[in-house]
Amino acid sequence: MDKRILTVQDISCVGQCSLTVALPILSAFGIETGVLPTAVLSNHTGGFTGWTFADLTEEIPKINAEWGRQNINFDAIYTGYMGSAKQIDYVLEIFRDRKISGGVIIVDPAMADNGKLYAGFDNAFVKEMAKLVAAADIILPNITEACFLAGTEYAEGCQTEEYVEKIIGGLRAIGAKKIVLTGVTFSPDKLGVAVNEGGKTEYRFENFVNRRSHGTGDIFASVFTGAFLQGDTIADAAQFAARVVIESIKKTMDDDAHWYGVKFEKALPMILSRNK
Ligand code: PXL
């Protein structure tokens, strides 16, 4: 039976992130995807000179109630950028009410990068996000998000295995189950992921591509979710997602004007070619 997934994140109308990334990517995997927009912004908050913001927090319980009346449920729920701290409790209700039994919850705690919280987020928001992390089967934080959640100091540059294990321990202490930590680097030429499912941590590295880019976390999370739902192991899904991110960055490299995102559309053939 085909699976149906729900993704919960904002619509940034321009900027190649959140829903404008998740929907085409999950569709490319052949997966039916429902959306629950958390907010509508004119554009993302990472580098534009301003943005409009329409908070959709109070729509969430109304939509949940209507879906309840119609018995509309999902095999998986994947969350990203939240529009408010308050809506996190409503999203927990969505997890409780709308996930079929045996379904999977994937949480990308999209709230920070490069050592800093995104505009508008504070420590109170981090505390709320920890509730989604504890409710998830799989979480997909980058190093910065993991440090905020785990209460570990963020360190620039190369890490040690000991440091990564400390972060993973901190995430487990707040209730995380399966962890895919992105932005792991032990040497300047390699960047990858650490995958921890409770026991030993498995590392998957790719060659480092030197360009800081917006929206790559959303591409990673969306591709991970699609590949995992297609049956990949967590580590294989994470590695494939990293490769799609790298291809998207490479397709953007020669365009200096394209600072606000990466051209993931040009990497979609990698996904389409997996489908039978
Ligand atoms: O890519 C994460 C993201 C999603 N949504 C909004 C953002 C960002 C990152 O800055 O601003 C609105």
Side-chain angles (χ1 to χ4, degrees), residues 9-12 15-19 39 41 43-47 51 53 80-82 108 110-112 118-119 121 145 214-219:
Q9 46 190 314
D10 73 286
I11 299 175
S12 285
Q16 285 169 312
C17 70
S18 36
L19 275 182
L41 296 85
N43 45 266
H44 66 63
T45 68
W51 54 87
F53 183 94
Y81 184 100
M82 294 291 126
D108 175 7
M111 61 181 179
Y118 295 148
F121 293 154
E145 289 155 350
H214 280 284
T216 50
D218 300 338
I219 297 166

Side-chain angles (χ1 to χ4, degrees), residues 117-128:
L117 290 169
Y118 295 148
F121 293 154
D122 56 15
N123 286 329
F125 181 87
V126 174
K127 268 193 152 167
E128 288 303 298

